[in-house]
């Protein structure tokens, strides 16, 4: 059974940093591209970033460039998102999701809540 | 303001057929595949349609997708109460350095 479990969320002060993790199981993690997608409270889905199977290709949404860093460790079946200089508008549930041709966004984690507040 | 434009809401009665539209441009829908996700209240999204009109295993054939030019549509036939959810279209956008773009989402209400 495919499982994606996000962790590392919580309450953070403005200007702070955190690293989200996504632990994968039930599939060959190294064969999948991976994504981070976020959802602010009461709002729609917003794509954050994606990373290819071997980390050769990395993409960010324009609004995320500079403060967000995606990475992965295939030996640990893990995906990461480092977020620096957190702002109130970063408050959201952060989901990790898979991509393997021909599908994309086919499996999702349950999400990790990040709240940025003083 | 989302790059892909969806109506904020849609509704139908049980058994009806409803359609949700998704409008984009030549750099996204016009030149790339469209995907559709369903998000039931309080849950993570789920893939409904990939590559414009393909259904993952386990998705009922009541759900169908289509694409024409720079627009796409999700159709749900034989509407059921459990279809009440938010629906999102998503596509790769070739502009600038490339990115995935989501529609703003459509909240479907089953009356």
């Amino acid at each position: 059974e495919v499982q994606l479990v996000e962790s590392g969320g919580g309450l953070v002060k403005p200007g702070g940093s955190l690293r989200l993790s996504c632990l994968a199981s039930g599939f060959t993690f190294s064969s999948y591209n991976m994504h981070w997608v976020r959802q602010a409270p009461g709002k729609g889905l917003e794509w954050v970033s994606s990373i290819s199977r071997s980390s050769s290709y990395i993409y960010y949404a324009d609004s995320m460039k500079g403060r967000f860093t995606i990475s992965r460790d295939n030996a640990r079946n893990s995906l990461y998102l480092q977020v620096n200089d957190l702002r109130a508008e970063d408050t959201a549930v952060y989901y990790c999701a898979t991509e393997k041709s021909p599908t994309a966004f086919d499996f999702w984690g349950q999400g990790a809540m990040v709240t940025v507040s003083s | 303001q989302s790059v892909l434009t969806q109506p904020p809401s849609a509704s139908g009665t049980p058994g009806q057929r409803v359609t949700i539209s998704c409008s984009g441009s030549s750099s996204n829908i016009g030149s790339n595949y469209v995907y559709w996700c369903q998000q039931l209240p309080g849950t993570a999204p789920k893939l409904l349609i990939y590559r414009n009109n393909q259904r993952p295993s386990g998705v009922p054939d009541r759900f169908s997708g289509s694409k024409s030019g720079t627009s796409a549509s999700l159709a749900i036939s034989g509407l059921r109460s459990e279809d009440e959810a938010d629906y999102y279209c998503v596509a790769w956008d070739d502009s600038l350095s490339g990115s995935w773009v989501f529609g703003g989402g459509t909240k479907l209400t089953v009356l």
Side-chain angles (χ1 to χ4, degrees):
Chain A
E1 178 195 4
V2 171
Q3 271 204 310
L4 296 169
V5 180
E6 299 93 339
S7 60
L11 177 62
V12 185
K13 287 182 167 49
S17 299
L18 60 70
R19 187 174 86 152
L20 297 172
S21 300
C22 170
L23 179 61
S25 61
F27 64 103
T28 306
F29 179 71
S30 59
S31 297
Y32 284 71
N33 300 330
M34 297 295 296
H35 297 266
W36 287 102
V37 178
R38 72 181 184 180
Q39 186 171 35
K43 302 295 184 183
L45 300 173
E46 180 181 27
W47 177 77
V48 173
S49 179
S50 66
I51 186 168
S52 63
R53 293 170 293 175
S54 60
S55 304
S56 299
Y57 299 96
I58 288 175
Y59 301 93
Y60 297 98
D62 285 343
S63 59
M64 316 290 173
K65 288 177 181 174
R67 297 190 298 118
F68 292 69
T69 303
I70 191 172
S71 61
R72 64 189 296 163
D73 184 340
N74 287 341
R76 297 178 185 273
N77 289 340
S78 292
L79 173 73
Y80 306 104
L81 184 70
Q82 176 73 35
V83 188
N84 299 325
D85 188 24
L86 279 155
R87 306 165 182 172
E89 54 265 36
D90 296 321
T91 294
V93 175
Y94 286 75
Y95 296 100
C96 59
T98 61
E99 176 197 345
K100 184 179 180 185
S101 184
T103 66
F105 305 103
D106 40 354
F107 298 111
W108 296 69
Q110 86 290 348
M113 182 71 209
V114 173
T115 303
V116 183
S117 174
S118 54
Chain B
Q1 197 83 350
S2 301
V3 173
L4 303 182
T5 302
Q6 297 180 236
S9 63
S11 63
T13 56
Q16 261 191 334
R17 181 178 188 271
V18 297
T19 301
I20 296 171
S21 62
C22 176
S23 177
S25 68
S26 58
S27 64
N28 41 66
I29 293 178
S31 52
N32 295 292
Y33 293 117
V34 178
Y35 302 76
W36 289 89
C37 294
Q38 176 195 56
Q39 187 175 32
L40 297 169
T43 69
K46 168 191 169 184
L47 182 67
L48 272 186
I49 298 288
Y50 66 95
R51 289 202 169 185
N52 304 332
N53 55 20
Q54 303 298 304
R55 283 186 308 276
S57 59
V59 173
D61 59 6
R62 300 187 298 108
F63 295 91
S64 61
S66 64
K67 182 182 113 170
S68 178
T70 59
S71 294
S73 293
L74 172 71
I76 309 171
S77 59
L79 198 61
R80 298 183 178 183
S81 58
E82 57 261 38
D83 297 334
E84 188 160 289
D86 294 323
Y87 293 86
Y88 297 90
C89 57
V90 57
W92 175 257
D93 191 298
D94 293 323
S95 59
L96 299 175
S97 52
S99 65
W100 287 90
V101 288
F102 278 86
T106 298
K107 182 174 180 56
L108 175 63
T109 300
V110 181
L111 302 169

